[in-house]
Amino acid sequence: MATQVVMPKLSPTMEEGQLARWLKKEGDKVSMGEPLAEIDTDKATMEMQSLGNGVLRKILIQEGESAPLGQIIAIIGEPDEDISALLAQAQSGASASSDKASSKAAPEEADAGEAPSAAQQEASGGEAPEPSSGNGAGARQDGSADGGRLVVSPIAARMAAEAGINLRSLTGSGPSGRIIKRDIEEAIKAVGAQAKEAPARSLRAVEPTTPAQQPEITGASPYRDEPMSEMRRVIARRLVTSIGPIPHFFLTTEIEMDNVAEMRASIKALDPELKISVNDIIIKVAAAALIEHPQVNASFQEKTIRYYERADIGVAVAIEDGLITPVIRSADRKSLSQIAAEVRELAERARSRRLKPEEYTGATFSISNLGMFGITEFTAVINPPEAAILAVGEMKPVPVVRNGQVVTRQIMRVTMSCDHRVIDGATGAQFLQTFKRILENPLYLIV
Amino acid sequence: MAVITIREALNQALAEEMRRDENVFLMGEEVAAYQGAYKVTKGLLQEFGEKRVIDTPIVELGFAGLGVGAAMAGLRPVVEFMTFNFSILATDQIINSAAKMLYMSGGQFNIPIVFRGPNGSAFQVSSQHSQALESWYAYFPGIKVVMPSTAADAKGLLKSAIRDDNPVIFMEQERMYGNKGEVPEDEDFTIPLGVADIKREGKDATIVARSLMVPVALKAAEELEKQDVSCEVIDPRTIRPLDIETIINSVKKTNRLVIAEESHPFCGVAAEISAEVMERAFDYLDAPVRRVTGADVPMPYAKNLENLAIPGVKQIVDAVREVAYI
Amino acid sequence: MSKQAKPSPSRAQAEDANAAGVLDREVAEEASQSQLEQEHEARKEEQKNRVEEVDRDLLLNLLYQMILIRRFEEKCAESYSLGKIGGFCHLYIGQEAVAVGAISAIEKDDYVLTSYREHGQALAKGVSADEIMAELYGKAGGCSSGKGGSMHLFDRDVNFLGGHAIVGGQIPLATGVAFAAKYRGTDRVALCFFGEAAVNQGAFHESLNLAQLWKIPCIYICENNQYGMGTALKRAMSLQDVWQKACSYEVMSEVVDGMDLLAVREAVLRAVERGRKESLPTFLEIRTYRFMGHSMSDPGNYRTRAEIEKYQERDPVKLFTASLKEQGIIDDAGVQEIESRVREEVERSVRFAEESPEPDPKELYTHVYKEQ
Ligand SMILES: Cc1ncc(C[n+]2csc(CCOP(=O)(O)OP(=O)(O)O)c2C)c(N)n1
Ligand SMILES: [Mg+2]
């Protein structure tokens, strides 16, 4: 049976794709899963795989041409199969599917054509980064679960959410590491006992793990959804009616960056090969502060507020005709050198438009730095569903008064845009305090 | 309260309801002269005479249909199947006539009939004589399905079934006819259909069991008590309408559910309960719902194989330990 | 076109007490008792003459089978009471002439299907006594691997297609088996045994209609032992001349004396010929009597001792032995010799059953589906 190849949905926001390059020509044999073409989407250039076996009988759009989602762009069939009916359908009714941008409109084969993108979308965690979804979310962080999934009984998940216990911190005692009610009960007891030591905890959380210990982290952060209080709901509703769908407010602070600068210098002295930018340090510190202030590492979900367990930082990267934010997953747990390497690598691929959707979606917080353009202070627009974005300005020497003396200090101004439905002024301010404290004393990172 | 067997309790219920209402009559194979293949109808011919206690030929489809017709015309037949295995021949009349009559007549003809007899496993009678058919009948809207497990329940539920204005499938269990229990002597003692009974309270796991599996589940609960696991045993007593609330509430308390049944697992009542619990109490579960069922094979004759095919105390204990993670 | 070869002998008149329930059983009984005696006398003469026409070895073989079934069943009763056999166990004692006579009239590759009261037919069809006993014991060596038990003996090797435990259930099956024999172009026939109570079931009527309509060579043998469990025929059937039922479907039918082995054999031979030559069904009402209860757990309160004794006078095993003796085909010593061979075979079957292992527990899950 001949198969129609349709323009697949390759990113969460894609509505149309441009055929960058055919990887097969008419008459070539293709088999299921083989790359067929490269497609430029609004975000990246992606490979499209074949969903049928046979011969690429007909190519219907040429390199450089665009097609809406679901439009038939090629036909795969047996070498001698009669495809005239399919061809006619494609040519006359190429719009059969193209008149509707959504996947629903496409014929059966078109649905099949979209299957992988649906899976990718899920994996990319755009909307619903369930722990169980696709290749993404299941960080093998705790080793307690099979195939990297967090296995937890429903009642245990609920109790943990209510008690504010991070499931990832537990080892399940049920079959194949399932976290069960008993484990939560024990954890609640343990937390009660530890309550006094609480302040220390936050710093421990920012300790970098050595690469050997560190399992690979991909996909979106796991999270817990907590029911929204009535007051929070009213605040949300009222604020939305006052400014746009996301009620922004802005908090600005000045940070002395002398110690950071010094630290960079020492690192460089240590190993000239290690190229760590101020921005890399900001990423790491922001992540550490987020772990300490989970209220900011959150998103608004209509009926619930979603609190993420990891600090996955989106880093805005300017590219030729726009902007993309590759994500550094679990930035708080990564060493500066790891972050630096990752940022460099992602940015490079972003510029050549070779990021995969799961690499640029599902951040829990974003940072935009325009310091290199000489911008001293600006506000950034939140990237939903994240609840905040930090706009980082230029670091430059400024005369300041310290102990009655005028001295120069490296000052950097940051402005955080907050989603007021999730974050209040005070919670945002507290986050910035922590952020500032660590940046001004980067030794906190290793204490 | 008197202590009597389930057989006697059923016999009393029949006699009392026949005394109470002239329109109640009894019909089936060997119910009269022979006094009942399982002696449930003992003495009824003598008390009520041949008009009301009627031996039928071996014509299950015929007398089931005749009963449905009699019910359309105002009588309240109690039809005995020598065993429910033979009701399979009568399913056309039960399902296509009795279950649907009220609906398809736009509410004009209700069918107040009881089909009763032993259901489930007997002793070493192989595949055609040892099967539990409740999920068949419970599948159909328009029929009620009742399965008592104690003498008191047998009596109270059978009386309600006879008074009910709908077709009721009343399933006894051949292995249980001799089981004894306390039964109120009050002639007005009835138990409403559709209400589950908590046969034992507990907090760590819920066991839902019916019919033959109730005494087995209670034994398992005793065993588990010794291992410090406290089980709640719920007997739904009526399969349709099912008292799912009682089960859900118990699961919300214990967070663990084991369902025991002697029927085959596929498309069974346990599967239904488990789906309901998943839909309505998912967030309360600490472990997957576990079914303990009869083997998914026709019943074998050989004693050793038969024992393997019917769930026992050990299987229930093991299942509870599994969901309680011990 | 069909006719009744032998109309019912005179039984009807006495039975105006027909519809009577068990309460006036005695009245009805007296009437049928005297009628019985007349019938018995009439049959004796006929029976004598038949022996002469049959081959001597065959006659001795048939006698062996009659005695084998009798002793086998007696052994079953004993083993059942010892708890070695479980479930329901329906004995054939009193009806031996039907199985032996009927099955002697067919070939090895003709088919037999019957009810739960099938030990006798199984033995007569050539299922080994060892395997039958092992089946009753629920052992792996049983003819149904211990899974079927007393009511479900099967043996593909001798075309014994089963004991079936739903009253009337085997009748459409046998019709289908005979249909297949014809379809495949063979001249095989199927013998289908069932009790008189099964004739009331819809399955019987539906089958006979199809068999005549489609010319299916199935031979329907109704073993009229006058009771379906505790219910006398007259309490369960409006028209009690069972053979007449076949008339509704234009199926050829006969009434046969089931205590007379050779009479049964002759009737079945005729039916077989009709089946093979014309591909037509036949219905035989074979009047017999069971001397034991319906099953081993039958209280037996629905008939009198006197009635049973009356029929025991025409015990088919005794009658057949006597007529062979009368014709000088066998003497007492010969009978003793058969008895001792039979005893050996029965004892051996018990040993075989005892020694056969229980089915392996994993057998619980085999045979649910046929592996491809
Ligand atoms: C459909 C069905 N109904 C009821 C029974 C229970 N039962 C088993 S044998 C029997 C009597 C059958 O009598 P009959 O057909 O005359 O055969 P017999 O036992 O006399 O050989 C009954 C009622 C059954 N096995 N199947
Ligand atoms: Mg009979």
Side-chain angles (χ1 to χ4, degrees), chain B residues 58, chain C residues 95 116-117 194-198 222-229 231 233 288 290 294:
Chain B
I58 306 169
Chain C
Q95 302 181 211
Y116 44 82
R117 192 183 303 287
F194 46 89
E196 83 294 339
C222 172
E223 296 192 62
N224 180 357
N225 62 12
Q226 302 173 44
Y227 290 91
M229 258 182 92
T231 303
L233 169 67
T288 179
R290 71 169 149 73
H294 167 71

Side-chain angles (χ1 to χ4, degrees), chain B residues 29-30 58-60 82-83 85-86 89 129, chain C residues 90 95 115-117 165-168 194-199 201 223 225-230 290 294:
Chain B
E29 292 159 23
E30 310 291 356
I58 306 169
V59 290
E60 285 82 5
M82 188 176 287
T83 75
N85 301 289
F86 315 140
L89 282 73
H129 274 62
Chain C
H90 309 85
Q95 302 181 211
S115 71
Y116 44 82
R117 192 183 303 287
I166 297 300
V167 170
F194 46 89
E196 83 294 339
V199 168
Q201 290 280 37
E223 296 192 62
N225 62 12
Q226 302 173 44
Y227 290 91
M229 258 182 92
R290 71 169 149 73
H294 167 71

Side-chain angles (χ1 to χ4, degrees), chain B residues 272-293:
Chain B
E272 173 64 24
I273 293 175
S274 138
E276 287 266 359
V277 166
M278 189 270 288
E279 285 173 2
R280 300 171 58 165
F282 180 74
D283 283 332
Y284 291 88
L285 289 173
D286 195 35
V289 174
R290 190 66 164 70
R291 289 180 289 167
V292 175
T293 73

